[in-house]
Amino acid sequence: MTPPVTPDASVPDTVPAGAQAPADEPLLIELLTLAQRRLARDLASRLEAEGCTLDQWRVMRCLTDDAGRSMGDLAQALLIPQASLSRIVDALTEAGLAYRRQDEQDRRRITAHLSRRGQVRLERLDALAAAHDAAVRTACGTTDPGRLLRHLTGA
């Protein structure tokens, strides 16, 4: 699970006067965005062949514990707007991969859970994702994040 991004005390809030990224070098945000989009696009196509979207797979991965997660917790953990998340969980529920349950302590709270069928399906999807990850690392010839990033972005 990816932790939420928090400000780092070592990164200044203000930009020093005259500070600019070199014109011929892309900014880190550009490199990260490009790498993320390429990885996501490729993995999404592999998951799509299995009848699953990237976001459905991410939600299923968040539901692996038996405790379940509230919609608010899921939205925050996955950085998915709650309305979109509701549609994703609806689709997983309709497919029998997830279900909703009313919290026993707080009857107003609804939690989402991965069904047994969803657990079996997730094992297959995780295997595809792991194979994708291994293929990317092999193609890059390294596990070094900097080299991976440069390879993925063509920089």
Side-chain angles (χ1 to χ4, degrees), residues 47 50 52 57 60-61 64 97 114-131:
L47 294 172
E50 295 290 320
C52 185
W57 171 71
M60 291 171 69
R61 286 179 54 87
T64 55
L97 302 173
L114 196 60
S115 69
R116 290 193 201 290
R117 183 175 175 195
Q119 291 169 356
V120 170
R121 181 76 178 281
L122 182 58
E123 287 176 20
R124 167 80 178 135
L125 298 173
D126 277 348
L128 285 172

Side-chain angles (χ1 to χ4, degrees), residues 62-74:
C62 256
L63 297 177
T64 55
D65 64 356
D66 291 333
R69 306 278 296 261
S70 73
M71 296 301 280
D73 290 345
L74 279 174

Side-chain angles (χ1 to χ4, degrees), residues 19-141:
Q20 294 182 31
D24 59 341
E25 289 185 36
L27 294 172
L28 180 59
I29 188 66
E30 294 172 306
L31 293 173
L32 290 171
T33 300
L34 183 58
Q36 184 275 334
R37 287 180 180 169
R38 286 182 178 171
L39 286 170
R41 181 185 61 220
D42 190 40
L43 180 56
S45 69
R46 293 172 189 233
L47 294 172
E48 186 178 319
E50 295 290 320
C52 185
T53 69
L54 183 61
D55 282 337
Q56 287 172 340
W57 171 71
R58 292 179 63 223
V59 168
M60 291 171 69
R61 286 179 54 87
C62 256
L63 297 177
T64 55
D65 64 356
D66 291 333
R69 306 278 296 261
S70 73
M71 296 301 280
D73 290 345
L74 279 174
Q76 187 174 28
L78 297 171
L79 300 175
I80 296 175
Q82 203 147 356
S84 298
L85 181 63
S86 291
R87 286 188 293 276
I88 293 166
V89 173
D90 287 346
L92 291 172
T93 301
E94 288 174 20
L97 302 173
Y99 61 94
R100 290 182 173 98
R101 179 186 295 162
Q102 193 173 35
D103 189 288
E104 293 177 11
Q105 280 77 35
D106 182 352
R107 311 290 275 165
R108 297 168 297 171
R109 186 173 185 253
I110 304 296
T111 54
H113 302 262
L114 196 60
S115 69
R116 290 193 201 290
R117 183 175 175 195
Q119 291 169 356
V120 170
R121 181 76 178 281
L122 182 58
E123 287 176 20
R124 167 80 178 135
L125 298 173
D126 277 348
L128 285 172
H132 173 259
D133 187 77
V136 168
R137 290 173 188 268
T138 299
C140 294

